[in-house]
Amino acid sequence: MDHPFAITLDVGTSRANKTGSWRTELPTYVHNQPPCNQGCPAGEDVRTWLYEAEEGGDAYERAWRKIMEVNPFPAVMGRICYHPCETGCNRGQVDEAVGINSVERFLGDEALRQGWTVGVDQPSSGLRVLVVGAGPSGLSAAYQLARLGHAVTIVESAPKPGGMMRYGIPEYRLPRDVLDAEIQRILDLGVHLELGVTVTDLDATMREGRYDAAFLAVGAQIGRRAYLPAGAASHVVDAVSLLHQLGDGERPLLGRRVAVYGGGNTAVDAARTAMRLGAADSVVVYRRTRDKMPAHDAEVREAEEEGVRFTWLSSITQVEQGSLTIERMELDETGFPQPTGVTEELPADSLVLALGQDTDLRFLEGVAGIEVDHGVVTVDDQMMTGRPGVFAGGDMVPDQRSATVGIGHGRRAAAGVDAWLHGRSVPRTEVRAPAAFEALNTWYFADAPRAHRPLLEAARRSSTFDEVVQSLDADHALYEARRCMSCGNCFSCDNCFGVCPDNAISKTGDPDAPYAIDLDYCKGCGLCAAECPAGAIRMAPEEI
């Protein structure tokens, strides 16, 4: 066959000689760690379930099941997680990060609509595990332990399960029917739940229940107080109690003018809740500047849209009936706020304190081997305390306090409990190299602006507890999943197969290793690595 110009070899012409003998570098397929995976506190393999979701249809269930291997709350976390996975997303350096959280929510909601369930594949171990606390960490551990074949009992002091997911997050962010459905899926595995029961003596509880191991996951549900000179008739409440009352179905009376003291997400939730309870004016008082506020930007932005006001660089010095005394602050040369002595009056019928939360660990007093330091319990890398067989996680151990972190703790602790019960060690997790943006060929990916979730219309947001952030529809969820660039991992695009000038790459049909390199004919030109969109091929020196 004649060619009009010499750019292509006929099939097999390069295989007349074994050109692999010329090679000085060897191409190798790699599985690097995408930044989304690295950033997920729950331990999700984000890249893999997004890859499944890209097919749509029946593949949605496969994607959901991949999430469920480590996280039993995709519909919940798709609403309340602050998606650190998206912060490091390499797509953000092209246009915008992939909407990982919105796709997870779509999959979680689809599972609830379709009635997808999980089961227990392991035979019964005959061993009993106590879980103290039915918050995200305790429920996560119970889910994993049940699937490992253990008999699990959760003891919870509150009248309903969920912990701070129920008693710390308002309904406009997390509808209770969604939370209840995902909790019920865990209980359907055979997990036994005892509500309204408070553990006061851990040793006695374990002895009486004949438990072989325990996981402690007591949440931080005690609001911190601050000394503020206050008149006898002043109305001061803490944000944790306020949100807890809402979780119990009550509607606290705060008045028409409400001030919230603090700068975290709980403060913003309390201020937005006050508007929904009838306040005409809801103002957050914070002693630092906006850029130092720990509350997430999206929460602050939504609060401002709903009419919540923010008073920066301000400290409350006096509380009286109907008003607060505010002292203005200014930043010193180190950026730390200092009082100025300048004060003003702020009308307020109620003051809500949102100054942080603590855990009640009195039930651990006298328990041998358990060390409590500055209000948290010391644990090892398997989440076990100094007491053999007693593990701990969530808000009561040293780490960031969030539902997603708690879920990750529960999963890790369950693996630790299972290994301890069977007298073996937990397998080491493979440490993979990070998938760097510089290794990607982003010009292979079409421009694709992010699909943002719609919001409830403003007129309804400040007057009802209807959910504010809405879900993506199926078309937009599929579109968003397909924006993933599969950083550092092959996605079977056939690019290497098509560009190899020596026909040294063949298709295997194996989804886990879709291509094979015939080293007899690969001369190490590096074209496959240079043209891999995902940076999933690296060139290494040939070993002699």
Side-chain angles (χ1 to χ4, degrees):
M1 175 179 174
D2 294 328
H3 295 291
F5 41 87
I7 60 167
T8 305
L9 298 173
D10 286 331
V11 175
T13 57
S14 65
R15 300 175 69 86
N17 298 298
K18 293 187 176 183
T19 53
S21 60
W22 305 349
R23 190 176 55 246
T24 59
E25 285 191 312
L26 176 71
T28 305
Y29 290 95
V30 297
H31 298 282
N32 288 335
Q33 179 81 316
C36 53
N37 288 16
Q38 199 167 22
C40 178
E44 292 183 17
D45 186 353
V46 177
R47 176 263 165 192
T48 297
W49 65 253
L50 275 178
Y51 178 73
E52 294 286 2
E54 287 180 22
E55 292 187 31
D58 294 341
Y60 285 145
E61 184 174 356
R62 295 200 302 272
W64 175 79
R65 292 192 181 280
K66 191 66 183 177
I67 296 173
M68 291 291 290
E69 290 178 10
V70 297
N71 177 10
F73 292 107
V76 170
M77 289 301 109
R79 289 168 164 83
I80 67 173
C81 178
Y82 289 105
H83 37 82
C85 54
E86 296 180 18
T87 302
C89 176
N90 282 328
R91 181 96 204 190
Q93 299 188 53
V94 177
D95 38 45
E96 292 181 272
V98 175
I100 299 166
N101 187 245
S102 59
V103 180
E104 181 174 22
R105 169 174 169 171
F106 169 80
L107 294 171
D109 287 350
E110 187 69 8
L112 297 178
R113 284 192 293 268
Q114 300 286 351
W116 297 336
T117 60
V118 292
V120 177
D121 298 327
Q122 298 291 326
S124 173
S125 68
L127 300 171
R128 294 170 53 80
V129 182
L130 169 69
V131 175
V132 181
S137 195
L139 289 166
S140 171
Y143 169 77
Q144 300 292 353
L145 288 165
R147 297 182 75 213
L148 289 167
H150 303 302
V152 183
T153 296
I154 306 176
V155 175
E156 168 59 52
S157 60
K160 293 181 180 180
M164 293 303 284
M165 294 186 295
R166 182 182 303 277
Y167 294 109
I169 298 175
E171 280 196 79
Y172 63 80
R173 287 180 55 204
L174 177 58
R176 296 306 183 249
D177 59 340
V178 174
L179 175 62
D180 290 339
E182 293 207 312
I183 292 176
Q184 188 60 49
R185 188 191 290 130
I186 296 172
L187 300 181
D188 288 343
L189 296 176
V191 172
H192 179 61
L193 174 64
E194 297 181 5
L195 296 171
V197 177
T198 301
V199 174
T200 56
D201 186 329
L202 179 62
D203 286 332
T205 300
M206 291 191 67
R207 184 171 55 252
E208 292 166 7
R210 292 176 296 174
Y211 293 108
D212 300 288
F215 175 63
L216 313 179
V218 178
Q221 298 198 28
I222 303 175
R224 291 177 186 162
R225 306 289 291 188
Y227 173 72
L228 293 173
S234 58
H235 187 206
V236 181
V237 298
D238 72 82
V240 177
S241 299
L242 169 66
L243 295 174
H244 203 288
Q245 287 178 281
L246 283 170
D248 282 334
E250 302 177 30
R251 292 181 67 90
L253 299 175
L254 298 176
R256 301 288 292 170
R257 301 167 302 179
V258 179
V260 179
Y261 195 22
N265 293 306
T266 300
V268 178
D269 280 340
R272 296 175 72 183
T273 294
M275 298 288 288
R276 287 162 170 79
L277 292 174
D281 184 35
S282 180
V283 55
V284 175
V285 180
Y286 183 53
R287 64 195 303 269
R288 294 177 179 267
T289 53
R290 166 73 180 268
D291 62 313
K292 297 294 185 182
M293 194 177 196
H296 291 86
D297 286 341
E299 290 292 305
V300 176
R301 185 170 59 251
E302 289 172 16
E304 290 176 327
E305 292 168 356
E306 293 168 10
V308 173
R309 296 190 297 116
F310 290 83
T311 299
W312 314 108
L313 288 173
S314 300
S315 178
I316 298 176
T317 59
Q318 181 76 31
V319 184
E320 298 292 346
Q321 183 179 11
S323 70
L324 309 173
T325 301
I326 303 295
E327 182 175 11
R328 289 297 176 188
M329 313 290 282
E330 65 180 11
L331 301 179
D332 61 20
E333 61 277 4
T334 67
F336 192 80
Q338 299 291 347
T340 64
V342 178
T343 63
E344 62 181 271
E345 296 299 307
L346 175 68
D349 300 311
S350 296
L351 171 62
V352 180
L353 299 178
L355 302 173
Q357 296 145 236
D358 292 314
T359 53
D360 185 354
L361 301 179
R362 287 176 295 178
F363 76 105
L364 296 179
E365 292 177 0
V367 178
I370 296 183
E371 178 184 347
V372 179
D373 184 25
H374 292 86
V376 291
V377 174
T378 302
V379 293
D380 63 17
D381 58 354
Q382 302 303 322
M383 313 301 295
M384 188 161 72
T385 68
R387 173 74 172 270
V390 177
F391 295 70
D395 293 346
M396 62 185 295
V397 303
D399 207 334
Q400 181 184 356
R401 289 177 171 177
S402 75
T404 318
V405 169
I407 288 171
H409 287 175
R411 175 184 58 81
R412 288 168 52 198
V417 169
D418 183 65
W420 185 83
L421 289 172
H422 288 102
R424 57 175 181 249
S425 59
V426 176
R428 292 288 181 182
T429 303
E430 177 190 3
V431 178
R432 294 188 288 164
F437 176 77
E438 293 74 23
L440 307 176
N441 278 313
T442 58
W443 65 272
Y444 276 110
F445 299 94
D447 292 339
R450 176 174 172 149
H452 291 274
R453 285 176 280 194
L455 300 178
L456 185 71
E457 56 269 25
R460 292 173 57 192
R461 282 168 54 179
S462 60
S463 59
T464 74
F465 280 88
D466 293 348
E467 188 170 16
V468 170
V469 181
Q470 307 295 296
S471 180
L472 294 180
D473 59 28
D475 289 340
H476 285 97
L478 181 61
Y479 163 87
E480 199 58 36
R482 288 177 173 173
R483 293 181 67 239
C484 174
M485 300 188 297
S486 194
C487 303
N489 292 269
C490 175
F491 62 97
S492 304
C493 70
D494 285 354
N495 226 33
C496 56
F497 175 77
V499 302
C500 178
D502 299 300
N503 301 312
I505 296 179
S506 60
K507 298 182 183 182
T508 67
D510 181 354
D512 294 324
Y515 306 102
I517 301 173
D518 189 336
L519 297 180
D520 282 342
Y521 299 99
C522 169
K523 62 177 182 289
C525 68
L527 190 58
C528 56
E531 294 302 321
C532 177
I537 306 175
R538 68 177 178 88
M539 300 300 295
E542 178 77 6
E543 293 185 7
I544 300 175

